[in-house]
Amino acid sequence: MDITAHLSATLKTLRQTRGWSLALAAEKTGVSKAMLGQIERNESSPTVATLWKIATGFNVPFSVFLQTSEPPERPVFDPQNSDMVVVPLFPYDEQLRFDWFAISLAPGALSESSPHDVGVVEHVTVISGALDMQIQGQWRTLAAGEGIRFAGDEAHGYRNSSADRVQFHSLIHYPATPSAR
């Protein structure tokens, strides 16, 4: 199963399992009913930012949408025309409650992330290149080998101001008790 078909099936299963209509899913995620329907019908592939909104709205780890039952290759989320590529390094661990991703951001790319659930903490470490991070409305640049930890439950952004692709890791810790929705 390709990744877009997996996204489609996972979204539909989550929504139906909870008994949510498309309208309620749109309300919970902040993603339009039309877009959710297109994703479920495998007519559209969401951006990373949209997929984050969906994961947050359903209160599930981001990697739920990337984990397929088909080894041996790691799933790669690289939507069409995307400047951001996300590869899970480790599958979501229910006991430890984290996702760990390798992320690549194209030159000039900007990815703005809406707040995740209350209590989510992110750790970002730059592997190569320079990454601009917006946290609490302030931009700062991290060079290769530098990292930062921040509250993921606030709006934040990733930007590559350089002419070269930037590679970084993102470790995301989810709270033990999900926030009420």
Side-chain angles (χ1 to χ4, degrees):
M1 176 184 296
D2 70 20
I3 193 68
T4 57
H6 177 73
L7 290 172
S8 169
T10 302
L11 174 57
K12 189 172 188 175
T13 300
L14 280 171
R15 189 178 62 76
Q16 290 177 340
T17 300
R18 292 167 191 224
W20 291 5
S21 65
L22 278 172
L24 181 57
E27 179 184 321
K28 296 281 191 179
T29 63
V31 176
S32 75
K33 179 179 168 182
M35 175 56 79
L36 291 171
Q38 289 172 358
I39 295 167
E40 280 193 14
R41 292 186 304 274
N42 202 12
E43 296 172 355
S44 179
S45 180
T47 63
V48 171
T50 299
L51 195 56
W52 265 116
K53 284 181 174 182
I54 294 169
T56 299
F58 278 92
N59 196 24
V60 296
F62 183 82
S63 62
V64 162
F65 291 99
L66 304 181
Q67 295 170 339
T68 65
S69 59
E70 296 180 11
E73 293 184 30
R74 281 190 287 197
V76 175
F77 184 64
D78 183 10
Q80 295 176 355
N81 303 318
S82 174
D83 291 331
M84 183 180 244
V85 177
V86 180
V87 179
L89 292 174
F90 292 97
Y92 176 73
D93 183 303
E94 183 65 40
Q95 183 179 357
L96 298 176
R97 305 194 59 75
F98 76 85
D99 274 331
W100 191 348
F101 302 106
I103 302 173
S104 172
L105 199 57
L110 169 68
S111 178
E112 296 175 313
S113 183
S114 56
H116 307 308
D117 277 329
V118 173
V120 170
V121 175
E122 294 193 36
H123 300 77
V124 171
T125 303
V126 178
I127 305 304
S128 66
L131 176 67
D132 300 327
M133 290 283 317
Q134 183 183 43
I135 302 167
Q136 296 180 335
Q138 300 293 314
W139 285 98
R140 72 178 276 188
T141 301
L142 301 174
E146 293 183 321
I148 190 167
R149 177 175 54 197
F150 60 95
D153 56 9
E154 298 179 14
H156 50 282
Y158 309 90
R159 181 177 65 196
N160 182 356
S161 300
S162 75
D164 299 312
R165 198 170 255 305
V166 63
Q167 307 281 336
F168 61 98
H169 287 181
S170 177
L171 178 68
I172 303 168
H173 284 273
Y174 299 93
T177 305
S179 66
R181 289 210 166 260

